[in-house]
Amino acid sequence: MKQKIAPRCAVVLISGRGSNLEAIVEAIDKQALPLRISAVISNRPDAAGLTYAQHAGLKTHVVDHTHYADRAAFDAALARLIDFYSPDVVVLAGFMRMLTPEFVNHYLGRLVNIHPSLLPAYKGLKTHERALHDKAKVHGASVHFVTPDLDGGPVLMQVRVPVQPNDTPQSLAARVLAAEHRLYPAALALIAAGRVEFAADGLRVDNAPLAAPVDLPYTVEDASIHTE
Ligand code: GAR
């Protein structure tokens, strides 16, 4: 008899809209992603993603960063709650807080993030504005493992999004976000299948060192997003 492999368990951290969370839940529902979400945690009580998560029947929590004396106290409380669920992977999905090295090191190798740029380009905020300002021809998004170096951890998968001549930060952001919604489930599916290994000298996929991020092809659906 074949042994059924239990889906891995994730805790998802959000701060706002939660559209990446939604894309992950949809991929799980379509059985494209063998993951179980144990809890969704927001640092903001008013995050729209919390309402979505509740409607989707997920367990939700708020750890409001404004209630803590400093970053270390907030991160310690957050880690206590996450550890209650013993997740295999902690998924940052629009979680807009800088994390202490103590927190990051506690989850090293099982903490992943999605960032709206082709890392290592445009770490930090306002990535779409900065790409347009530089007249970049290609922009995109990255899923990476988090290390204490902000937006500097090893990149597992990227999607490249062509910049259009008439793009505004909003139109570019909308196309990148549409691509993110395919990218995060695809990257998490690799992880959930146990195919990705995090090591001090970089990532290994299927036991081979990953020389460059896996490239997720850009599709017509991503390109046909309109913001007007
Ligand atoms: C996404 O574009 C994500 O890449 C970005 O925040 C947005 C969250 O949207 N994350 C970062 O900038 C992290 N540095 P969502 O709440 O709709 O998923």
Side-chain angles (χ1 to χ4, degrees):
M1 199 175 82
K2 278 191 181 163
Q3 191 77 21
K4 201 168 177 198
I5 295 166
R8 290 181 173 228
C9 131
V11 166
V12 181
L13 305 190
I14 62 168
S15 295
R17 184 176 50 190
S19 70
N20 275 292
L21 166 68
E22 211 170 319
I24 292 166
V25 170
E26 281 170 12
I28 294 171
D29 287 350
K30 280 194 294 192
Q31 307 201 335
L33 175 55
L35 204 63
R36 189 169 60 79
I37 298 179
S38 308
V40 174
I41 305 174
S42 172
N43 64 306
R44 293 187 176 276
D46 59 349
L50 279 177
T51 312
Y52 165 76
Q54 283 152 6
H55 284 142
L58 297 170
K59 180 103 188 134
T60 60
H61 297 274
V62 174
V63 183
D64 186 338
H65 63 277
T66 63
H67 294 176
Y68 293 85
D70 54 27
R71 207 174 276 285
F74 168 73
D75 280 11
L78 184 60
R80 270 197 303 278
L81 179 57
I82 294 171
D83 287 349
F84 172 78
Y85 291 99
S86 306
D88 299 301
V89 58
V90 178
V91 177
L92 305 182
F95 186 69
M96 304 306 276
R97 295 280 305 166
M98 281 171 61
L99 295 161
T100 54
E102 290 72 23
F103 181 97
V104 172
N105 284 327
H106 182 63
Y107 297 105
L108 203 62
R110 55 189 176 120
L111 181 61
V112 291
N113 181 41
I114 189 159
H115 183 76
S117 78
L118 294 172
L119 290 171
Y122 307 117
K123 297 175 178 180
L125 300 173
K126 297 195 182 299
T127 59
H128 312 300
E129 285 89 333
R130 286 154 61 208
L132 287 177
H133 179 265
D134 291 350
K135 303 196 177 349
K137 296 259 188 300
V138 183
H139 188 42
S142 308
V143 171
H144 67 98
F145 282 79
V146 179
T147 65
D149 176 17
L150 182 71
D151 295 333
V155 178
L156 174 62
M157 199 180 277
Q158 291 184 321
V159 59
R160 302 164 69 80
V161 176
V163 178
Q164 307 295 348
N166 55 352
D167 259 333
T168 62
Q170 292 71 29
S171 64
L172 183 56
R175 289 206 313 290
V176 170
L177 190 67
E180 286 184 41
H181 294 161
R182 289 188 307 107
L183 180 69
Y184 221 169
L188 288 171
L190 269 188
I191 295 169
R195 294 175 57 189
V196 183
E197 204 182 314
F198 174 95
D201 58 350
L203 300 179
R204 297 173 73 83
V205 174
D206 297 335
N207 296 319
L210 187 65
V214 178
D215 196 22
L216 184 77
Y218 185 64
T219 69
V220 182
E221 295 90 75
D222 301 331
S224 64
I225 294 291
H226 296 292
T227 49
E228 288 155 340

